[in-house]
Amino acid sequence: MPTRTDREVPRRKIADHRGVHINFITAATVEPTGSISLETRGRRAPMTLKRLGHGAIGDQLGQALLRSLHINGGTWTSSETVRTHAHLAATFARWLRDEAGIEDLSDRDLSPRLVWEGIRCCARQGGGQRNLRTLLADAMPHLREDGDIYRDFLHARALPVDVHRIEGYSPDVARAIEEVARNQVADWYSRHRKVVGAVLGALPKDWLHLSVEDLVIRREFESSAFRIERGDLAAAMVLLALADDKGPNLATIQSYTSDSVERASEDAAFVNGVKARNRQVLRTPAPAGGLFSYGGLLEFVTAATRVDRHFRDHSEDFDRLLFIPTGGNTVMSAPDVNRWWRSTERTRVLATPNQIYPDLLSFRRLRKAALLRGRRHGHGIIGQRQASARLYLADAVPDVILIPGLLETQRSVTSYWRTRSAGIPRPNDAATETTPPEEIDRLLNAEKVMDVGVAACVSNGQSPIDPEKPCGLGPVACFMCPNGFRTPELIPGLIAAVEFTDNVRKYEPQEWLSGEAALLNQLARKTLAQFPQHQIDAASEEDITNSRALIACVYVETRIRG
């Protein structure tokens, strides 16, 4: 099954029957009123987006949105992405009408600078501004003879990159939240077990694994007894976010289906889901030795929802999703979970009056809390490879997350490079005609060496100008710096640099024009050309993927710092 990290597979072709990307768009139509109707894999009824503006601009922006969808040859696959862009587009249409009296993007009075001013005014953060700019830049050539000028003008403008700092819940708060969720899930387990026993007359050992047919054919069966409550699902979702320190994000939890758990042994399983942002298929080993283990909890939710899922009768995807309450139109969301959380306030206060709880739950903070707990035990986190888990960086490009303090999180790899450099020819060897002996000695004798993706830095990431300060010159400077060395072990990082910058050119053309991505791409390609092809072919996909996360992080952080 292809994954996001398969370089030859487009994102929109990635799918897996064991997990469902609930916001994946399957159809889109324009209603007579000008509204847009989106059908997705995880909703019973279509999502409707209101007309984006009065006059011609409403139709123009609506058609631009439709052209951006993967089903029409674009790249957008998620209804949430479309909804966010639709809100930005509608805001821009109102701004343009109020500020300039323009309701048509082909209006002669509309100038590129006015469009740029509207982008900056209608979105507060860099990410929103970037998305609105891309939408308008793509739309203009379809609407104006001089649309290419507008497109090039907009893409040539630089925008800030948002810095996301997520602070995980403290260990005691995470434990307290987990305890509340456990109590709710334990009560659900007892209630469901009792109902199954009543239907069957006696409870067999394999009651969790009985087929739905074994239950519905019984005379004592009543579908109302198997009703799935929102509070039970909410508690299970919170518990999954923390269970066994796996730390899946909310979209991964939402993607779980009745086929997601594969038993590997009595106390272990593989759990399959989908990472929504890049639709990477995740197959994760997980403990499954009890109700509160990661795999065991998902197995129980699968069993507890089997009757309700049997009667949904909508579509194959929708009928297999786990976290949909009885009669629900879509999968449980963060607001749904927080409604349950607020309802538990009185019980929480009475049970633990001295414990401090958050007013609302954040799945991003739960995920970070699981990451921090897991690091102490050497656990991995769902959706992140070992090299990038420490950085809390998703491996999608170009949707990189800025990681402050990268230099502090990197371990010294001096001994590694000394070992790897032992095979470099010494001064009396013929090969040293192209390898100055003093450079070999610098690498072998360096006190500390840091792997920065495109080079082995013998100053351990410190500035070549001021050794007391971290270097902020960026990966391009590594190719000119006397402290940077490139050996065959750097080949995965060089390939990753080419892939990362190719993605910048494809998805962020304005960054390609205004930043250092184009130069980094050229330098990495020319350096790779110096290595034998068989060494390049031997680079593993996993090493390249890990290096891509590092390259993205170094590039973005030094870009902002500069």
Side-chain angles (χ1 to χ4, degrees), residues 407-421:
L407 299 176
E408 288 76 12
T409 67
Q410 294 294 297
R411 293 180 298 177
S412 172
V413 288
T414 307
S415 60
Y416 170 82
W417 287 110
R418 284 176 178 159
T419 301
R420 291 294 185 177
S421 303

Side-chain angles (χ1 to χ4, degrees), residues 54 344 454:
H54 299 288
T344 66
V454 296

Side-chain angles (χ1 to χ4, degrees), residues 37 41 73 81 102 204 239 254 273 299 311 317 349 476 495 515 557:
S37 178
R41 297 177 68 185
T81 299
I102 295 176
L239 193 52
Q254 292 172 322
E299 278 192 329
F311 288 106
D317 288 333
V349 171
V476 168
I495 297 175
E557 180 161 342

Side-chain angles (χ1 to χ4, degrees), residues 320-342:
R320 292 184 300 117
L321 287 164
L322 296 182
F323 293 97
I324 300 177
T326 299
N329 289 320
T330 188
V331 177
M332 294 275 291
S333 63
D336 294 325
V337 172
N338 275 310
R339 276 190 284 272
W340 162 76
W341 179 250
R342 288 193 295 268

Side-chain angles (χ1 to χ4, degrees), residues 14-81:
I14 300 169
D16 184 67
H17 74 282
R18 294 186 180 276
V20 172
H21 178 4
I22 63 171
N23 296 317
F24 187 82
I25 299 170
T26 57
T29 56
V30 179
E31 304 296 336
T33 60
S35 62
I36 298 175
S37 178
L38 301 176
E39 296 182 19
T40 63
R41 297 177 68 185
R43 293 183 68 91
R44 190 190 300 271
M47 173 189 291
T48 301
L49 304 176
K50 295 181 179 179
R51 183 182 175 88
L52 303 182
H54 299 288
I57 194 171
D59 295 329
Q60 293 166 344
L61 292 175
Q63 290 300 318
L65 278 177
L66 290 178
R67 283 193 298 270
S68 300
L69 302 183
H70 73 102
I71 55 178
N72 295 323
T75 59
W76 297 350
T77 61
S78 171
S79 60
E80 289 302 308
T81 299

